Amino acid sequence: MNIFDLHCDTISVIHNDKKKGNEISLKMNDLQIDENKLKAGKYYAQCFAMFIYYEVDNPYLECKKMIDTFTSELKKCNNLSLALSYNDLIDNNNDNKISAILTIEEGGVVASSLLKLEEFYKLGVRMICLNWNFNNGVGHNNYGKLNADGKPDYITPNTTEGLTDFGFSMVKRMNELGMIVDVSHLSDKGFWDVINTSSKPIVASHSNARAICKHVRNLTDEMIIALAKNGGIMGMNYCAQFMDDDPKKGEDTIECTIRHMKYIKALAGVDVIALGSDFDGIDPNISLRDASMYQLLIVRMKEEGFTDEEIDKITHLNALRVFKEVL
């Protein structure tokens, strides 16, 4: 088992479908991730993000309900086991279990309260993406302006607004608790605020290289180099819009991922590269369609000259290193 994926939205989809009365399960479904697909893809671990749309009535309560869904769905699976620590990851792998890691995508769920942050830690959350596409009391969004139609300009980054005062406190408390700080979706200024504040390695769980694809969700060369020096990692995201400036070309996920990996390797080395599919948060009309197909990417990595040692680092060892240091 060799795939450690830092981000998916599967539980959010399952939770919201259940609210509509639909029968859907983590064990088997038509989504990009279920238990069978994870087994077929030879997974080591999957981070399951509780993605909360910040403008729901009560993000804090909605996140707790989604965690309940995660817990109940995990109990139905025979080959998945919760991991709360690095030792859990190792033990699960030794028992031929795929580790399931509880994360949050939208730091606003803590409602600017360190007590609520600590409550989520006690519930099993081990990584938080500080924000999504909204200013949320923790940090600012990643786009720098709106277009004439009022929609965000995702090519112009927000370089002036970063973490709030509470955001700085949250990062420091997450370091103390042993929670991984995730900067995907955060503004450029926010990234630098975090990198200069965190005493532990951080992650960009599902972000690519901006030099290859200009979307603000991706990291600049300077960010990637700083992340590498921090000991952190960035998970390759298979969303076509983040793979190539031409989203149609971006649908060739495997070739685009190789391109991003090669660029990042030449820029900062392989130790900063990881995997962060964003499965079930992206359009499945891509070459790496779902979790069962991951081994096709590894075949292409070998064909493109990545060594076995480099592949092991990218697919799971880099992530394990960060989780060992932080949790």
Side-chain angles (χ1 to χ4, degrees), residues 16-28:
N16 290 327
D17 272 10
K18 285 181 176 293
K19 286 168 61 177
K20 298 173 185 176
N22 298 329
E23 287 296 325
I24 184 170
S25 170
L26 180 60
K27 189 172 183 64
M28 183 182 299

Side-chain angles (χ1 to χ4, degrees), residues 52 61 116 149 182 186 301 303 317 323:
I52 305 297
L61 290 179
K116 285 185 171 63
D149 61 3
D182 180 1
L186 191 61
M301 290 174 72
E303 292 173 349
L317 292 182
F323 276 67

Side-chain angles (χ1 to χ4, degrees), residues 115-318:
L115 289 177
K116 285 185 171 63
L117 173 67
E118 292 162 6
E119 179 184 1
F120 281 119
Y121 178 82
K122 292 175 183 175
L123 288 172
V125 175
R126 291 299 179 265
M127 179 164 69
I128 298 180
C129 188
L130 297 183
N131 71 345
W132 189 61
N133 289 345
F134 299 104
N135 300 333
N136 64 355
V138 178
H140 289 81
N141 56 40
N142 51 25
Y143 52 88
K145 65 177 183 177
L146 298 176
N147 291 316
D149 61 3
K151 295 181 180 179
D153 172 7
Y154 286 116
I155 302 300
T156 302
N158 183 356
T159 60
T160 59
E161 299 172 301
L163 293 180
T164 64
D165 288 343
F166 174 77
F168 283 102
S169 299
M170 180 169 169
V171 168
K172 293 174 183 177
R173 186 62 183 132
M174 287 176 71
N175 285 167
E176 293 168 352
L177 289 169
M179 299 177 82
I180 294 172
V181 179
D182 180 1
V183 296
S184 283
H185 286 286
L186 191 61
S187 68
D188 283 18
K189 176 64 163 56
F191 171 92
W192 292 111
D193 286 343
V194 173
I195 208 82
N196 292 322
T197 301
S198 180
S199 61
K200 301 285 183 66
I202 68 171
V203 310
S205 66
H206 51 308
S207 297
N208 301 330
R210 202 178 297 176
I212 301 295
C213 177
K214 296 184 183 67
H215 201 289
V216 295
R217 282 281 289 99
N218 294 335
L219 304 184
T220 66
D221 286 3
E222 294 78 12
M223 290 176 177
I224 295 170
I225 291 169
L227 186 62
K229 290 180 179 177
N230 165 267
I233 49 176
M234 55 191 295
M236 298 296 93
N237 184 334
Y238 309 137
C239 177
Q241 285 81 2
F242 308 151
M243 293 252 82
D244 194 278
D245 291 333
D246 180 348
K248 192 63 182 176
K249 293 181 180 178
E251 292 175 3
D252 192 354
T253 324
I254 294 175
E255 296 308 313
C256 286
T257 300
I258 296 293
R259 185 181 174 205
H260 280 270
M261 286 180 174
K262 281 186 168 183
Y263 182 85
I264 297 164
K265 174 185 172 181
L267 176 70
V270 297
D271 289 351
V272 75
I273 310 172
L275 305 173
S277 66
D278 208 1
F279 279 149
D280 292 318
I282 59 176
D283 190 328
N285 184 33
I286 52 178
S287 62
L288 194 59
R289 190 173 60 252
D290 61 45
S292 69
M293 301 178 69
Y294 242 125
Q295 297 306 309
L296 297 178
L297 175 62
I298 294 177
V299 170
R300 285 295 293 130
M301 290 174 72
K302 290 180 178 179
E303 292 173 349
E304 289 296 319
F306 286 90
T307 67
D308 288 344
E309 180 183 4
E310 289 172 335
I311 292 170
D312 283 343
K313 283 186 174 184
I314 291 168
T315 56
H316 66 291
L317 292 182
N318 288 342

Side-chain angles (χ1 to χ4, degrees), residues 1-5 35-46 78-81 88-100 275 291 294-295 298 311-317 320:
M1 297 189 288
N2 58 2
I3 299 298
F4 195 132
D5 188 331
E35 183 179 21
N36 293 332
K37 296 183 187 79
L38 293 174
K39 285 178 62 182
K42 300 182 180 178
Y43 271 63
Y44 191 107
Q46 176 65 58
N78 299 320
N79 299 282
L80 274 64
S81 184
D88 286 346
L89 290 166
I90 301 302
D91 290 344
N92 287 342
N93 185 59
N94 289 338
D95 291 339
N96 292 315
K97 299 284 188 180
I98 300 166
S99 286
L275 305 173
Y294 242 125
Q295 297 306 309
I298 294 177
I311 292 170
D312 283 343
K313 283 186 174 184
I314 291 168
T315 56
H316 66 291
L317 292 182
L320 277 173

